[in-house]
Amino acid sequence: MVASNQENFNNEELDDILRKHFTNNFRFGYVTIDGTTMPKRFEDLHEQILNFEVNEDDVWICSFPKTGTTWTQEMVWMIMHDLDFEGGQVNLGQRSPFLEVSAIYDFRNLMRNNKDFVPPPFLQDSLKFVKEQENPACIKTHLPFHLLPLDIQSGRKNPKIIYVARNPKDTCVSYYHHSRALEGYTGTFDDFVRLFLAGKLNFAPYWDHVLRYWEKREQSNVLFVKYEDMKLDLPGVIRKVASFLGKNLSAEQVAALSNHLSFENMKNNPAVNYEMVTELNKKFNLTRHHGAFMRSGTIGGYKSQMTPEIVDRFDKWTEFHTGNTDFSF
């Protein structure tokens, strides 16, 4: 990672924060692979993912964590399946599997120590589960472009890719609460900010992630979507995504899907709100903090949590990484 000239990162100190506050009974350390921070378990999946056989009929939903991925997944799956609301009652992790989730939640020790614990297949062996999907599949991944299957990186295969991005300040706050509630982070918000800015969180550095996909946005198989646009004009984004997927939706269908995708409906929908994972956390005491997967979903929510000093650090960091690009939120 190229560090901002406004930030001095002590990698040894940050690695110690990760070990102390972000290692638990389903996360056993971290590695850096081609410049990207990943859970140590990812080492076992890396080559398999690079050599993953890609089907061009599939749709890949790519994003940095906590940028509107679940929202986009549900929208895309519904459009692909002609607004099958009944079929949509099946858990989203089964309908739109998360390619590398087995690296995020490594349940092998928990399964050995609790013989009655059998996680669903899409959590237990996510690569196998994705490979067994019927085509066209709707695949989620948080991997940066350079860790995607070589079929995609090389252009040998060109499945449709929908990338969703969100303002980094809101992303950081949402990622912090998510990490406390679902991934076992026990440190402070200030330390989490330091990890975020230094690229020391899973799938980071953030700007490397976003800008590599932004560079691909003119390709015919790539659609770049911003979370803020979804919040401000969800029907318009639905129509844009439907067109990209070759689907025609009536005004009534757009209205029905917009209602289905409202924050309140998503938050109260057990098929998409990660209720199953939060219940697992409570049952096995996997995390110290328990909270909802979907918290507020607002634009600018960072203002209630970030100090002016942190906001200034983010703004300078953003300018450093985007100043020579045409990207902005």
Side-chain angles (χ1 to χ4, degrees), residues 38-56:
M38 293 297 293
K40 188 169 178 56
R41 166 70 166 143
F42 185 75
E43 289 181 314
D44 300 334
L45 308 182
H46 181 39
E47 288 298 321
Q48 296 178 61
I49 289 175
L50 286 179
N51 296 315
F52 185 88
E53 187 174 346
V54 173
N55 188 304
E56 287 197 311

Side-chain angles (χ1 to χ4, degrees), residues 130-170:
V130 172
K131 288 176 182 177
E132 293 174 348
Q133 293 297 295
E134 293 184 5
N135 301 115
C138 181
I139 300 168
K140 163 188 170 178
T141 182
H142 287 317
L143 294 175
F145 189 83
H146 66 275
L147 294 182
L148 290 179
L150 293 174
D151 274 355
I152 295 176
Q153 292 190 52
S154 67
R156 290 194 300 264
K157 301 287 183 65
N158 292 287
K160 285 186 166 60
I161 294 173
I162 298 174
Y163 187 85
V164 58
R166 185 184 190 184
N167 181 294
K169 288 175 282 197
D170 282 332

Side-chain angles (χ1 to χ4, degrees), residues 1 3 7-23 30 32 37 185 188-201 313:
M1 175 184 177
E7 296 284 339
N8 293 311
F9 299 121
N10 184 327
N11 286 324
E12 185 176 340
E13 184 180 351
L14 295 176
D15 287 341
D16 187 59
I17 291 172
L18 275 178
R19 284 192 298 269
K20 183 177 179 181
H21 294 295
F22 222 158
T23 301
Y30 298 85
T32 301
T37 301
Y185 177 70
T188 66
F189 177 65
D190 284 352
D191 278 343
F192 194 88
V193 166
R194 294 172 65 201
L195 293 171
F196 191 98
L197 292 173
K200 286 285 189 175
L201 293 168
R313 285 168 63 191

Side-chain angles (χ1 to χ4, degrees), residues 70-71 74 85 88 234 255-275 294:
T70 301
W71 201 13
E74 183 70 357
F85 294 117
L234 182 57
L257 185 52
S258 295
N259 179 65
H260 176 75
L261 294 172
S262 71
F263 181 78
E264 282 305 312
N265 284 338
M266 289 284 288
K267 188 172 183 177
N268 295 316
N269 182 352
V272 301
N273 65 10
Y274 278 59
E275 182 179 287
M294 297 182 185

Side-chain angles (χ1 to χ4, degrees), residues 225-283:
V225 175
K226 295 180 181 178
Y227 179 93
E228 290 75 12
D229 292 338
M230 293 172 67
K231 291 293 293 185
L232 295 172
D233 183 16
L234 182 57
V237 174
I238 288 173
R239 287 190 289 269
K240 181 184 293 186
V241 171
S243 176
F244 178 69
L245 296 175
K247 296 281 189 176
N248 293 312
L249 298 184
S250 67
E252 291 77 13
Q253 287 176 309
V254 171
L257 185 52
S258 295
N259 179 65
H260 176 75
L261 294 172
S262 71
F263 181 78
E264 282 305 312
N265 284 338
M266 289 284 288
K267 188 172 183 177
N268 295 316
N269 182 352
V272 301
N273 65 10
Y274 278 59
E275 182 179 287
M276 177 187 64
V277 177
T278 56
E279 289 305 311
L280 275 178
N281 284 341
K282 293 175 183 177
K283 180 178 180 180

